[in-house]
Amino acid sequence: MNNLGIVKRNISRADKAAVDKLSRFGVATIHEAMGRVGLMKPYMRPIYNEARICGTAVTVLLQPGDNWMMHVAAEQLQPGDVVVAACTTDNADGFFGDLLATSFKARGAVGLIIDGGVRDVKDLTEMNFPVFSKAIHAKGTIKATLGSVNIPVVCAGAQVNPGDVVIADIDGVVVVPADVAQQVADASEAREANEGDKRAIFASGVLGLDYYKMREGLAKAGLRYID
Amino acid sequence: MNNLGIVKRNISRADKAAVDKLSRFGVATIHEAMGRVGLMKPYMRPIYNEARICGTAVTVLLQPGDNWMMHVAAEQLQPGDVVVAACTTDNADGFFGDLLATSFKARGAVGLIIDGGVRDVKDLTEMNFPVFSKAIHAKGTIKATLGSVNIPVVCAGAQVNPGDVVIADIDGVVVVPADVAQQVADASEAREANEGDKRAIFASGVLGLDYYKMREGLAKAGLRYID
Amino acid sequence: MNNLGIVKRNISRADKAAVDKLSRFGVATIHEAMGRVGLMKPYMRPIYNEARICGTAVTVLLQPGDNWMMHVAAEQLQPGDVVVAACTTDNADGFFGDLLATSFKARGAVGLIIDGGVRDVKDLTEMNFPVFSKAIHAKGTIKATLGSVNIPVVCAGAQVNPGDVVIADIDGVVVVPADVAQQVADASEAREANEGDKRAIFASGVLGLDYYKMREGLAKAGLRYID
Amino acid sequence: MNNLGIVKRNISRADKAAVDKLSRFGVATIHEAMGRVGLMKPYMRPIYNEARICGTAVTVLLQPGDNWMMHVAAEQLQPGDVVVAACTTDNADGFFGDLLATSFKARGAVGLIIDGGVRDVKDLTEMNFPVFSKAIHAKGTIKATLGSVNIPVVCAGAQVNPGDVVIADIDGVVVVPADVAQQVADASEAREANEGDKRAIFASGVLGLDYYKMREGLAKAGLRYID
Amino acid sequence: MNNLGIVKRNISRADKAAVDKLSRFGVATIHEAMGRVGLMKPYMRPIYNEARICGTAVTVLLQPGDNWMMHVAAEQLQPGDVVVAACTTDNADGFFGDLLATSFKARGAVGLIIDGGVRDVKDLTEMNFPVFSKAIHAKGTIKATLGSVNIPVVCAGAQVNPGDVVIADIDGVVVVPADVAQQVADASEAREANEGDKRAIFASGVLGLDYYKMREGLAKAGLRYID
Amino acid sequence: MNNLGIVKRNISRADKAAVDKLSRFGVATIHEAMGRVGLMKPYMRPIYNEARICGTAVTVLLQPGDNWMMHVAAEQLQPGDVVVAACTTDNADGFFGDLLATSFKARGAVGLIIDGGVRDVKDLTEMNFPVFSKAIHAKGTIKATLGSVNIPVVCAGAQVNPGDVVIADIDGVVVVPADVAQQVADASEAREANEGDKRAIFASGVLGLDYYKMREGLAKAGLRYID
């Protein structure tokens, strides 16, 4: 019953075409396309403003104050993967720094999502290695206790299965289950299609009240205008 | 791909014998028996100190400020169930009060775990209906947007599938997947077997250092005694 | 333009009959009767579970670490008043203890609502003087800087004007503007009238789905039942 | 008694000259000029560092997870207005994004202050539309429940009436009641007049102890110098 | 330079007479007698309301998720000691439960102050073993990394040296350095001497404004009474 | 016994050579060189990303809402000092702005570490005066109550003695006791010596698993690879 101390080697990654397509859309759009679910909590923030990630998840379950499993995870990485690291408890220690980033990058990883702390932020920024984390903290970690790699994890309030697509930008982090990646990519595309038009319409002064035909609904709900 | 607006009627509940056995153990013991995983975050607190729950999960995914799905969930309850309510975003509104508790109780539910707020706490306490929540808040809710019932949810940091066993006491809330419920119950029993002995030994003044034979390990790790 | 350093002596308190009537209802009921507004934030908690307050507000604006104005407020208290203390900044110091409580009680005050800390909680509990606060903290305060008494304040997220009715119980704290106190009391009464009936109905097993006739609305919203 | 479901069309905006004058000063200066009151809580942060706002408030009271009223507010905007959005409960959903910003901008609005979340931050930054918010969150909202527009609101701990002047910069957000806007602008000017001089004096090495003649007061208070 | 991996055996405990005398006073009184310093942060709460501690500190520095040092500390305990446990980082895991409590009690310890989590709260309450902690959390810990025992620690914002007196009650936790324990005890006694009188005076309706002769100071500070 | 109201003039600053050497290393490196201790809490953040400090501590103990002692501290500053300001309670008011910064800079101070708020952040950034703080807040302070200068303080969870070396960069803030400054500097240098090599090795694709020879330890701990 215990799913600790496990490394799953063969995981089923989302289809590359779907991942590529998803990489064209923002987190807000994708999350809407999924029915407004799949977001991590908003305390997950990029270590630099331009950070952006779209990749397939290699998951890690960490123990507090211990980054042993990050090294184990490195070996499982394939080009296009993003490491998604959860912890068995709330802990903001600096589980990740420039050396691990160098190693992840060498394996082709495109970024890190971690419900914990990171350090060496200046180096990571210079390396242009995107990280979304709960905290920045210099606190070092040890290598003593087993967690797992590539088991389902809960990271910052979102369920993540290995192989899922994870997209992160300044608006947050969203998880797209592998088996619906293509559908969500298509829905995102559809959703975005008329955004440019809408922006032009609103820029011209048309109100959402009229464009979305909200006046009747508001009146029915009882909205009263007074002077 | 959208798992909102769904009510799953037939769920596979954990075996009753396993649930009954698990009900004999505390949350700390069960969590240890599972390898120190499965806990919700410690902000989940009982509304009264004696609250205790052990039941099979009927899950609910709520929308912020909206408790429509709680009414939908009521119909799916069977005796021995515990309602586990998550929300699509952080929200502490009072989704639950004495009337819903009356309804849940009439269906045989044994309690509520909610990553949100509850109200009518005086009544709930008098009814002896155990609730573990993130907050107590009088804030009322509406009934306007669909969530789901009996889909997998993340509640207070823990993944919960419908039918899982959820145990809650003053130490917190733990989720035992239905398919390992019996194993975990057995492991909990084994773990608890010698607790009484241990307590007597420590009460007599024997140190954990000696009982657990820690001295050698500590010395090897470099522990120095100074005066 | 500066409203610091002011004590307003003559304030218009809500009608006593309205206050008395409001005292019969819980915070959740009153807040609903007002249209789901008027609540303080849920971090405001009673120092003991049975604490309950219903009175007319004498407001205080404190400076951080300074309880001078609490003494000034004492003189403005009339029987039936509740002191509502806000602070110019977030501060959890212990602005209030057993001596001030004794003084407030001697003036006829029925309790304290404070967006800050209190101390001497054991004494306050034994005196049965109800307090709702943001924190319990032994930290002492000084008497050096002017705030104000009986000016409009924002306390724990709610606007409070002197003379407003403030009701507090284990579900939270609600503020009823003086000029609508009677209306809100009446609406609360109407709301509570059929609660007893409802409870009996739900206890008998009738579902909210049927009692509130929700099934059609849910179906129209697209709710799907699956097996 | 219910102030929900209301849109007030004619509001009395602060005098334009006063607003213009206030726009020359920083938030810290204005708040001091008012006697150290009027600030929102420091969790309100700009979405980009250079964001700066000075305008007259059009207020919005939102419901959790629902941005319907933002569209209603758009119609009430006049050039020079800033939207100040509060919520009936704590909620960090993304109530606002690039399309609403386009609409607000088309109406002449100069920015948004929101005790909630926003999204499309990259677009907002590129549009140079200043926003101060509690959170950045991709979480989408619905349009189902009435709030109000242009009623008094409490936003991030500050009372805001429609027409008040709201100034925001990297130090925070301050609210100046419309009827004292000119006085506060004048007091701010007076306060700032000798700042340049002071800076030169302190740069030359003169101590505040001497410049502000603090030594006597400190000695009287009992300050002891030891070696 | 490294003070990890150390156990100091001979510590200088505060004088027993001073400890005994301090045990007669509340935390608020003692903290005032010290000049309003020495308090831990208010997030430190008793696990049951009646918990009260006064003892000499045996300090522990824990590593996150690791309670090895608690066992090491047990051996250093003498009757009248209180264990004060800090952690090298923020961590709310359940470092302490009924077995350790049994062991500590067998050594004569009078309680635990821990800037972390505890579990088995029902047992601890039945044992009447007082604990003040940051959290209650069932999360188990390991025994893998060295911390220290009886080095100076920062616990919940307060500096604690081994042998210091630590007093805890429902108002919080205060630390009295061993070398001033007698002085502080005497000052606490002096402070409390006339509290009974004061309470009677305030109960009779005398105002603090008059008793403390505040009116002149308030007037001088500019307090204005308006009608 | 009271250590409030004290200014210690002669403090023993860490050796300049050691300070200079420490200035070459990052906070993460130094903290590791000390055995993973000495860090302040991660809520301490720079007001601008490039902020970096290395200097000898002049400590200040502030009272809430009161910055009087900052002026007293200014006189005690020598070139190369960093002001480390703690507060007797949690308070985020803006204790520090551009005028004090000008004064501190004139005395040769190299930065400020404050467990509180600061303001005039735009000016401070333009002055290139580095500050690490808990908050940015325009809230002004008064000058009424004594704290102390150059006594030991607890700042953001770290013990700081006057004269200690404090290093701050984007990863956080670390405190190096004066008497071990040279040792820590040497250990930091040793630690950093082979970092460049390591980075090259990891960049070439060598795994930490192999470089650090972790495979055996992991296997012994029970790590299982599954497909």
Side-chain angles (χ1 to χ4, degrees):
Chain A
M1 78 212 160
N2 194 325
N3 63 358
L4 285 178
I6 287 171
V7 183
K8 190 160 166 45
R9 269 181 300 220
N10 298 331
I11 62 171
S12 176
R13 287 167 173 83
D15 184 66
K16 197 178 172 326
V19 179
D20 286 348
K21 189 164 185 179
L22 282 167
S23 75
R24 292 163 30 201
F25 308 109
V27 168
T29 297
I30 294 168
H31 140 84
E32 288 281 354
M34 286 174 72
R36 279 200 295 275
V37 295
L39 288 174
M40 291 193 186
K41 294 195 182 285
Y43 62 69
M44 297 295 283
R45 298 302 302 150
I47 58 167
Y48 53 92
N49 277 348
E50 300 72 25
R52 202 183 185 291
I53 297 174
C54 178
T56 41
V58 162
T59 63
V60 185
L61 183 62
L62 299 164
Q63 300 283 3
D66 192 311
N67 76 345
W68 215 7
M69 288 303 112
M70 295 296 263
H71 290 277
V72 174
E75 193 176 25
Q76 305 307 316
L77 289 170
Q78 295 186 4
D81 283 344
V82 53
V83 176
V84 178
C87 185
T88 57
T89 194
D90 281 344
N91 184 237
D93 285 2
F95 296 93
F96 182 85
D98 69 320
L99 290 179
L100 268 168
T102 304
S103 200
F104 282 16
K105 209 169 178 177
R107 307 287 299 184
V110 298
L112 169 70
I113 310 288
I114 182 167
D115 196 0
V118 296
R119 59 185 193 174
D120 301 333
V121 166
K122 189 162 170 282
D123 292 328
L124 297 175
T125 304
E126 284 165 8
M127 291 169 65
N128 203 24
F129 189 84
V131 177
F132 288 70
S133 71
K134 179 165 75 173
I136 293 171
H137 198 0
K139 180 66 163 55
T141 52
I142 59 164
K143 296 157 207 339
T145 311
L146 295 186
S148 286
V149 172
N150 280 334
I151 62 166
V153 296
V154 173
C155 180
Q159 170 78 7
V160 188
N161 289 305
D164 286 349
V165 192
V166 178
I167 305 96
D169 63 24
I170 198 167
D171 288 343
V173 186
V174 70
V175 184
V176 181
D179 59 356
V180 296
Q182 189 61 52
Q183 275 177 270
V184 173
D186 295 346
S188 299
E189 187 176 44
R191 197 178 158 81
E192 197 140 294
N194 64 346
E195 289 282 303
D197 292 352
K198 274 202 234 172
R199 212 200 256 217
I201 288 164
F202 290 131
S204 76
V206 173
L207 288 168
L209 287 179
D210 297 310
Y211 182 82
Y212 297 118
K213 304 192 196 319
M214 290 173 175
R215 292 189 194 273
E216 192 188 355
L218 287 162
K220 202 178 272 178
L223 192 68
R224 287 167 293 146
Y225 285 83
I226 62 176
D227 290 321
Chain B
M1 80 214 160
N2 195 327
N3 62 0
L4 285 178
I6 288 173
V7 184
K8 190 161 165 46
R9 270 182 298 224
N10 298 330
I11 62 171
S12 176
R13 287 169 173 84
D15 184 67
K16 197 178 173 327
V19 179
D20 287 349
K21 189 165 184 178
L22 281 167
S23 75
R24 291 163 31 201
F25 307 110
V27 168
T29 297
I30 293 168
H31 141 84
E32 288 280 353
M34 286 174 72
R36 280 198 297 273
V37 296
L39 287 174
M40 291 192 186
K41 292 197 183 284
Y43 63 68
M44 297 294 284
R45 299 301 301 151
I47 57 167
Y48 52 92
N49 277 346
E50 299 71 25
R52 203 183 183 291
I53 296 174
C54 178
T56 42
V58 163
T59 64
V60 185
L61 184 61
L62 299 165
Q63 299 284 3
D66 192 311
N67 76 345
W68 215 8
M69 288 304 114
M70 295 297 263
H71 290 277
V72 175
E75 194 176 27
Q76 305 307 315
L77 289 170
Q78 295 186 4
D81 282 345
V82 52
V83 176
V84 178
C87 185
T88 58
T89 194
D90 282 343
N91 184 237
D93 285 2
F95 297 93
F96 183 85
D98 69 321
L99 289 179
L100 269 168
T102 303
S103 201
F104 282 16
K105 210 171 177 176
R107 307 288 296 183
V110 298
L112 169 71
I113 309 288
I114 182 165
D115 196 0
V118 295
R119 59 185 192 173
D120 301 333
V121 166
K122 189 162 171 282
D123 291 329
L124 297 175
T125 304
E126 284 165 8
M127 290 170 67
N128 204 24
F129 189 83
V131 177
F132 288 70
S133 72
K134 179 165 76 173
I136 293 170
H137 198 1
K139 179 65 165 53
T141 52
I142 59 164
K143 295 161 208 334
T145 312
L146 294 186
S148 286
V149 173
N150 280 334
I151 64 165
V153 296
V154 172
C155 180
Q159 170 77 9
V160 187
N161 290 304
D164 286 349
V165 192
V166 177
I167 304 98
D169 63 24
I170 198 167
D171 287 343
V173 186
V174 69
V175 184
V176 180
D179 60 355
V180 296
Q182 189 61 53
Q183 274 176 273
V184 173
D186 294 346
S188 299
E189 184 177 46
R191 198 178 158 83
E192 196 139 295
N194 64 347
E195 289 282 302
D197 291 353
K198 274 204 232 169
R199 210 199 257 217
I201 287 163
F202 290 132
S204 78
V206 173
L207 288 167
L209 287 179
D210 297 311
Y211 183 82
Y212 297 117
K213 301 192 197 321
M214 290 173 174
R215 293 189 192 273
E216 194 188 354
L218 287 162
K220 204 179 268 176
L223 191 69
R224 287 165 295 146
Y225 285 83
I226 62 176
D227 291 321
Chain C
M1 80 212 159
N2 194 325
N3 63 359
L4 285 177
I6 287 172
V7 184
K8 191 161 165 46
R9 270 182 299 221
N10 297 331
I11 62 171
S12 176
R13 288 169 172 84
D15 184 66
K16 197 178 173 325
V19 179
D20 286 348
K21 189 165 184 178
L22 282 166
S23 75
R24 292 164 28 202
F25 308 110
V27 168
T29 297
I30 293 168
H31 141 84
E32 289 280 354
M34 286 175 71
R36 279 198 298 274
V37 294
L39 288 174
M40 292 193 186
K41 294 196 182 285
Y43 63 69
M44 297 293 284
R45 298 302 301 151
I47 57 168
Y48 53 93
N49 277 348
E50 298 73 23
R52 201 181 186 292
I53 296 175
C54 179
T56 41
V58 163
T59 64
V60 185
L61 183 61
L62 299 164
Q63 300 283 3
D66 193 311
N67 76 345
W68 215 8
M69 288 303 112
M70 295 296 263
H71 291 277
V72 174
E75 193 176 26
Q76 306 307 317
L77 290 170
Q78 295 185 3
D81 283 344
V82 52
V83 176
V84 177
C87 185
T88 57
T89 194
D90 281 344
N91 184 238
D93 285 1
F95 296 92
F96 182 85
D98 68 320
L99 290 179
L100 269 168
T102 304
S103 200
F104 282 16
K105 210 171 179 176
R107 307 287 297 183
V110 298
L112 170 71
I113 309 289
I114 182 166
D115 196 0
V118 295
R119 59 186 192 173
D120 301 333
V121 166
K122 189 162 170 281
D123 291 329
L124 297 175
T125 305
E126 284 165 8
M127 289 170 67
N128 203 25
F129 189 84
V131 177
F132 288 70
S133 71
K134 179 165 76 173
I136 293 170
H137 198 359
K139 179 66 163 55
T141 52
I142 59 163
K143 294 158 209 335
T145 311
L146 295 186
S148 286
V149 172
N150 281 333
I151 63 165
V153 296
V154 172
C155 180
Q159 171 78 8
V160 187
N161 289 304
D164 286 350
V165 192
V166 178
I167 305 95
D169 63 24
I170 198 166
D171 288 343
V173 186
V174 69
V175 183
V176 181
D179 60 355
V180 297
Q182 188 62 52
Q183 275 176 271
V184 174
D186 294 345
S188 299
E189 186 177 44
R191 199 179 156 79
E192 196 141 295
N194 64 346
E195 289 283 302
D197 291 353
K198 275 203 232 170
R199 209 198 260 219
I201 288 163
F202 290 131
S204 77
V206 173
L207 288 168
L209 286 179
D210 297 309
Y211 182 82
Y212 298 117
K213 303 192 195 318
M214 291 174 174
R215 293 189 193 273
E216 192 187 354
L218 287 161
K220 202 177 273 179
L223 191 68
R224 287 167 293 145
Y225 285 82
I226 62 176
D227 291 321
Chain D
M1 79 213 162
N2 195 327
N3 63 357
L4 285 177
I6 287 173
V7 184
K8 190 162 164 48
R9 270 181 298 220
N10 298 330
I11 62 170
S12 176
R13 286 168 173 84
D15 183 67
K16 197 178 173 326
V19 179
D20 286 349
K21 188 164 186 179
L22 281 167
S23 74
R24 293 162 32 202
F25 308 109
V27 168
T29 296
I30 293 168
H31 141 83
E32 289 280 353
M34 286 175 72
R36 279 199 297 273
V37 296
L39 289 173
M40 292 192 186
K41 293 197 182 285
Y43 63 69
M44 296 295 283
R45 298 303 301 151
I47 58 167
Y48 51 92
N49 277 347
E50 299 72 26
R52 204 184 183 290
I53 297 173
C54 178
T56 40
V58 163
T59 63
V60 185
L61 184 61
L62 299 164
Q63 300 284 2
D66 192 311
N67 76 346
W68 215 8
M69 289 303 113
M70 295 296 262
H71 291 276
V72 175
E75 193 176 26
Q76 306 307 317
L77 289 171
Q78 296 186 4
D81 283 345
V82 52
V83 176
V84 178
C87 186
T88 57
T89 194
D90 281 345
N91 184 237
D93 285 2
F95 296 92
F96 182 86
D98 70 319
L99 290 178
L100 269 169
T102 303
S103 200
F104 282 15
K105 211 171 176 174
R107 308 285 299 182
V110 297
L112 169 70
I113 310 288
I114 182 166
D115 196 2
V118 296
R119 58 186 194 173
D120 301 333
V121 166
K122 190 161 169 282
D123 292 329
L124 298 176
T125 304
E126 284 164 8
M127 291 170 66
N128 204 24
F129 189 83
V131 177
F132 289 70
S133 72
K134 178 165 79 175
I136 293 169
H137 197 2
K139 180 64 165 55
T141 52
I142 59 164
K143 296 159 210 335
T145 311
L146 295 187
S148 287
V149 173
N150 280 334
I151 63 165
V153 296
V154 173
C155 180
Q159 171 77 7
V160 188
N161 288 304
D164 286 349
V165 192
V166 178
I167 304 97
D169 64 24
I170 198 165
D171 288 343
V173 186
V174 69
V175 183
V176 181
D179 59 355
V180 296
Q182 189 60 53
Q183 274 177 273
V184 173
D186 295 345
S188 299
E189 186 177 45
R191 198 179 157 81
E192 196 140 295
N194 64 346
E195 290 282 302
D197 291 352
K198 273 203 233 171
R199 211 199 257 217
I201 288 163
F202 290 132
S204 77
V206 173
L207 288 167
L209 286 179
D210 296 312
Y211 182 81
Y212 297 117
K213 301 194 196 320
M214 290 173 174
R215 292 190 193 273
E216 194 188 353
L218 287 163
K220 205 179 268 176
L223 191 69
R224 286 166 295 146
Y225 285 83
I226 62 176
D227 291 322
Chain E
M1 81 214 157
N2 194 325
N3 62 0
L4 286 177
I6 287 172
V7 184
K8 191 160 164 46
R9 271 182 297 222
N10 298 330
I11 62 170
S12 177
R13 286 168 173 85
D15 184 66
K16 197 179 174 322
V19 179
D20 287 349
K21 190 165 184 177
L22 282 167
S23 75
R24 291 164 31 201
F25 308 111
V27 167
T29 297
I30 292 168
H31 141 84
E32 289 280 353
M34 286 175 71
R36 280 198 295 273
V37 295
L39 288 174
M40 291 192 185
K41 293 196 183 286
Y43 63 68
M44 297 293 284
R45 298 301 303 150
I47 57 167
Y48 53 92
N49 277 348
E50 300 72 23
R52 201 183 185 291
I53 297 175
C54 178
T56 42
V58 162
T59 64
V60 185
L61 184 62
L62 299 164
Q63 300 283 4
D66 192 312
N67 76 346
W68 215 8
M69 287 304 112
M70 296 296 263
H71 291 277
V72 174
E75 193 177 27
Q76 305 308 315
L77 290 171
Q78 295 185 2
D81 282 344
V82 52
V83 176
V84 178
C87 185
T88 58
T89 195
D90 282 343
N91 184 237
D93 285 3
F95 296 93
F96 183 84
D98 69 319
L99 290 179
L100 268 168
T102 304
S103 201
F104 282 16
K105 209 169 179 178
R107 306 288 297 183
V110 297
L112 169 70
I113 310 288
I114 182 166
D115 196 0
V118 295
R119 58 185 193 175
D120 301 333
V121 166
K122 188 161 171 280
D123 291 329
L124 297 176
T125 303
E126 285 165 8
M127 289 171 67
N128 203 25
F129 190 83
V131 177
F132 288 70
S133 71
K134 178 165 76 175
I136 292 170
H137 198 0
K139 179 65 164 55
T141 52
I142 59 164
K143 295 158 210 334
T145 311
L146 294 186
S148 286
V149 172
N150 281 333
I151 63 165
V153 295
V154 172
C155 180
Q159 171 77 9
V160 187
N161 288 304
D164 286 349
V165 190
V166 177
I167 304 96
D169 63 26
I170 198 166
D171 288 343
V173 186
V174 69
V175 183
V176 181
D179 60 354
V180 297
Q182 188 62 50
Q183 274 176 270
V184 173
D186 294 345
S188 299
E189 186 177 45
R191 200 181 154 80
E192 196 140 297
N194 64 346
E195 289 282 302
D197 292 352
K198 274 203 234 172
R199 210 198 256 218
I201 288 163
F202 290 131
S204 77
V206 173
L207 289 168
L209 286 180
D210 296 310
Y211 183 82
Y212 297 119
K213 302 191 195 321
M214 291 174 173
R215 294 191 191 272
E216 193 187 354
L218 287 162
K220 204 178 271 176
L223 191 68
R224 288 167 293 146
Y225 285 84
I226 61 176
D227 290 321
Chain F
M1 80 217 160
N2 194 325
N3 63 359
L4 285 177
I6 286 172
V7 184
K8 191 160 165 45
R9 271 182 297 222
N10 298 329
I11 62 170
S12 177
R13 286 169 173 84
D15 184 66
K16 195 179 174 325
V19 178
D20 286 349
K21 190 166 184 176
L22 282 166
S23 74
R24 292 164 32 201
F25 309 109
V27 167
T29 298
I30 293 168
H31 141 85
E32 289 280 353
M34 286 174 71
R36 279 199 297 272
V37 295
L39 288 174
M40 291 192 186
K41 294 197 181 285
Y43 63 68
M44 296 295 283
R45 298 302 302 150
I47 58 168
Y48 52 92
N49 276 348
E50 300 72 23
R52 201 182 186 292
I53 297 174
C54 178
T56 41
V58 161
T59 63
V60 184
L61 183 61
L62 299 164
Q63 300 284 4
D66 192 312
N67 76 345
W68 215 8
M69 289 302 114
M70 296 296 263
H71 291 276
V72 174
E75 193 176 27
Q76 305 307 315
L77 290 171
Q78 295 187 4
D81 283 343
V82 52
V83 175
V84 178
C87 186
T88 57
T89 195
D90 281 344
N91 184 237
D93 286 2
F95 296 93
F96 182 86
D98 69 320
L99 290 179
L100 268 168
T102 304
S103 201
F104 282 16
K105 211 171 178 178
R107 307 286 299 183
V110 297
L112 169 70
I113 309 289
I114 182 166
D115 196 0
V118 296
R119 58 186 194 174
D120 300 333
V121 165
K122 188 160 171 282
D123 292 328
L124 297 176
T125 304
E126 284 164 8
M127 290 171 66
N128 205 24
F129 190 84
V131 177
F132 288 70
S133 71
K134 179 165 75 175
I136 292 170
H137 198 1
K139 179 65 164 57
T141 51
I142 58 162
K143 294 158 209 337
T145 312
L146 295 186
S148 286
V149 172
N150 281 334
I151 63 164
V153 296
V154 172
C155 180
Q159 170 78 8
V160 187
N161 289 304
D164 286 349
V165 191
V166 177
I167 304 96
D169 63 25
I170 199 168
D171 288 344
V173 186
V174 69
V175 183
V176 181
D179 59 355
V180 296
Q182 190 60 54
Q183 274 177 271
V184 173
D186 294 346
S188 299
E189 186 177 45
R191 199 180 156 82
E192 196 140 295
N194 65 346
E195 290 282 302
D197 291 353
K198 275 202 233 171
R199 210 200 257 219
I201 288 164
F202 291 131
S204 77
V206 173
L207 289 167
L209 287 179
D210 296 311
Y211 182 82
Y212 298 117
K213 303 191 194 324
M214 290 173 174
R215 292 189 193 275
E216 193 187 354
L218 287 161
K220 203 179 270 177
L223 191 69
R224 286 167 295 146
Y225 285 83
I226 62 176
D227 291 322

